[in-house]
Amino acid sequence: MWLWMFGGMWFSSPPAASGLTVVQHNVADDDTDPAGTARALLASRAGLIAVEELTPSARPAYQDVLGGSHPHRAVRGTVGLWSAYPLSDVRPVDIRPAGFPESWQRGLRATVSAPGGELAVYVVHLPSVRLGATGLASAARDESAALLATRIADDPARRLLVVGDLNGTVRDRGLGPLTSRLDAPPTGFAFSWPAGLPVARIDQVLGRGAEVTEVSALEATGSDHLPVLGPVLLR
C-alpha cells in the first residue's frame, strides 16, 4: 500500500530556475540546540524561512542567527517567518478548532515583496492527528484545515503560498478542502517525518498563482521533522 501511494515519488524532474526559495521546518519545541537548527536553515540559502513550534525561549537564538541576512520577521504564537525581502500586512490567522483556547496561535499571513512581485505567504501548523481508543482522531486537524481553506478562498492575493506542518500528506482526504484550492509541487522523494526514518511528507509548500517547482528534504536537525525546501516561480 505504501509503495502504491508513494512509490512514484522516487522519480522527479529537475527543479526549474527560480529567484525565490522557501525553506519550511517544524523546529520542535524540545530542540536543545535552536541556534544550530537556525544555522542549518540559513545554510539552505532560502530567501524565506518559515518555522513552527517556535518557543519564546528559542526565539532569540533564531533572531541572532537569521536576523542579519533575513532582517524582516513576523512571529505570531508558535509560527514565524524570517524574510530577506520586505514584509507588510502581517497579521494572525485564526485556525483554532472549536474548544481550543485563544492562546493557541498557529497561523500568520504576510505579504512579501519578493523578486518578481508581491505574494501572500501563510505560515501554519495544523493540530496533530491523535491515536485514541477508536483509532486515529483527525477531527481537530480537519476543522482547522477547513478554516484555513476559507481564509485562502477569501484572500484576494493573485499569488499565494501556504507553508507549514499540515500533519497530513497532500493525499489525505481530511485536508481536501484546503489542498483542493492549492497546487502541490511535482512528485519528488521528500519525506519529512519522522526524521529518523521518514515515511511521509506532512510538511508542505503549496501554491496558488505561484508554482512550487520541486520540494526536497534537507538534513536532520534537532527536530523530529526534516526541513523541506521549495523553489518557487511567480506567474
Side-chain angles (χ1 to χ4, degrees), residues 32-51:
T32 59
D33 184 18
T37 297
R39 287 192 293 269
L41 299 179
L42 183 63
S44 72
R45 305 174 69 91
L48 297 176
I49 299 175
V51 298

Side-chain angles (χ1 to χ4, degrees), residues 15-22 185 205 211-216 229-233:
S18 172
L20 176 65
T21 305
V22 182
V205 182
E211 182 185 358
V212 183
T213 59
E214 179 74 13
V215 64
S216 55
L229 181 76
V232 180
L233 290 176

Side-chain angles (χ1 to χ4, degrees), residues 4-90:
W4 178 80
M5 292 183 66
F6 299 117
M9 292 184 176
W10 286 98
F11 307 99
S12 61
S13 302
S18 172
L20 176 65
T21 305
V22 182
V23 66
Q24 189 286 117
H25 191 27
N26 180 326
V27 298
D29 55 14
D30 59 355
D31 184 1
T32 59
D33 184 18
T37 297
R39 287 192 293 269
L41 299 179
L42 183 63
S44 72
R45 305 174 69 91
L48 297 176
I49 299 175
V51 298
E52 303 84 48
E53 291 198 14
L54 179 68
T55 64
S57 61
R59 193 181 303 171
Y62 283 89
Q63 180 59 25
D64 287 347
V65 174
L66 303 177
S69 58
H70 294 69
H72 310 284
R73 177 188 65 175
V75 176
R76 295 293 184 272
T78 58
V79 298
L81 176 67
W82 273 263
S83 173
Y85 320 110
L87 301 178
S88 60
D89 192 23
V90 177

Side-chain angles (χ1 to χ4, degrees), residues 103-129:
S103 59
W104 194 91
Q105 297 183 48
R106 291 190 181 184
L108 69 81
R109 181 203 185 277
T111 298
V112 180
S113 296
E118 290 189 344
L119 77 158
V121 176
Y122 287 74
V123 184
V124 297
H125 184 190
L126 301 188
S128 299
V129 176

